[in-house]
Each structure stands twice: as structure tokens, then as C-alpha cells.
Amino acid sequence: MPINKILVVDDSTVDRMNIQNIIADAGYDVIAASSGQEAIEKATAEKPDLIFMDVVMQQMDGYQACREITHNEGTKDIPIVFVTSKGQKADRMWAEMQGGKALVQKPYTPDQIIEQINNFKN
């Protein structure tokens, strides 16, 4: 599957900008959202090829937003990679149960973000 447009979701401006810069520097189009609700709206409107989503956010967390996106007919095929400080085995299993395809633990390296993009290009 070709990856062109990537949605980055994080309520932390610093974390969101960091991932956006890594992705943009790698030559991809980046769109951003600062909340779970905004992620659902942008996923529906923009149809990104991949989503990087934080878990811990105000109002609606990343797991909730992931469930909404993966249960919506128009967005259910968009892979979601969680980017979170929660990296225990239980967190990874819960992320999968919510519809997430992978989990990158903070702090991450640019290579880890690019590796995830490459994993979904095939």
C-alpha cells in the first residue's frame, strides 16, 4: 500500500511537532490533530494512509479514538500506530485489542518512526 499522507495525533505540541518533522523530512505529507475527536474528524475528511496516535490525551484518549476510526466504514482500513510512554506487554495487547497495528514507545528515535512507515508500505 502506498503511503503518502500521514496523520499525527498528540495533545503535546512538542511531541506532535517532533513526529511531524521526522515524517516531513522523510518526504511524506503530514496532517496533524491535537485531540482524539479531531483525529476522528481529520481521518474521515482527509483519509490518511497511516496514523500515529498518542494514547494519553484529554477528553478522548487514543484508544477511544482508535476504536471510533477502526469501526467506521470509511476509515476502518487506515492503520494506526500508537506512540506512547506506556510500553508494558499489557499496553501492547490492549493497543492491539483497540485496533492498533503497532506501538512505538516514547522516547523514540526518528528511525523507529520511519521503520513503522516502511512496515505499512508493503
Side-chain angles (χ1 to χ4, degrees):
M1 157 176 113
I3 302 285
N4 298 310
K5 191 186 327 182
I6 300 172
L7 173 59
V8 176
V9 186
D10 200 314
D11 60 348
S12 160
T13 304
V14 172
D15 287 339
R16 189 173 60 249
M17 292 301 295
N18 191 26
I19 297 177
Q20 281 181 255
N21 290 338
I22 292 167
I23 294 168
D25 289 348
Y28 298 95
D29 292 333
V30 185
I31 46 179
S34 59
S35 70
Q37 185 58 48
E38 189 182 0
I40 294 166
E41 292 163 10
K42 292 250 174 117
T44 304
E46 300 271 353
K47 300 284 192 286
D49 302 306
L50 180 62
I51 299 172
F52 283 97
M53 177 137 22
D54 185 24
V55 172
V56 182
M57 294 184 283
Q58 300 296 319
Q59 283 90 42
M60 179 186 291
D61 69 18
Y63 292 141
Q64 210 175 341
C66 179
R67 283 194 302 272
E68 295 271 338
I69 290 167
T70 57
H71 287 92
N72 178 311
E73 195 56 41
T75 55
K76 68 178 174 43
D77 295 325
I78 303 169
I80 297 174
V81 176
F82 286 109
V83 182
T84 181
S85 53
K86 298 169 154 293
Q88 301 297 319
K89 186 173 183 184
D91 296 313
R92 291 180 184 279
M93 287 176 56
W94 185 248
E96 270 182 43
M97 289 169 58
Q98 305 314 303
K101 300 297 182 204
L103 187 145
V104 175
Q105 189 172 348
K106 294 177 183 177
Y108 50 81
T109 65
D111 288 346
Q112 288 174 298
I113 299 298
I114 300 304
E115 180 184 338
Q116 288 301 322
I117 296 170
N118 290 335
N119 287 345
F120 291 101
K121 281 166 96 169
N122 306 340

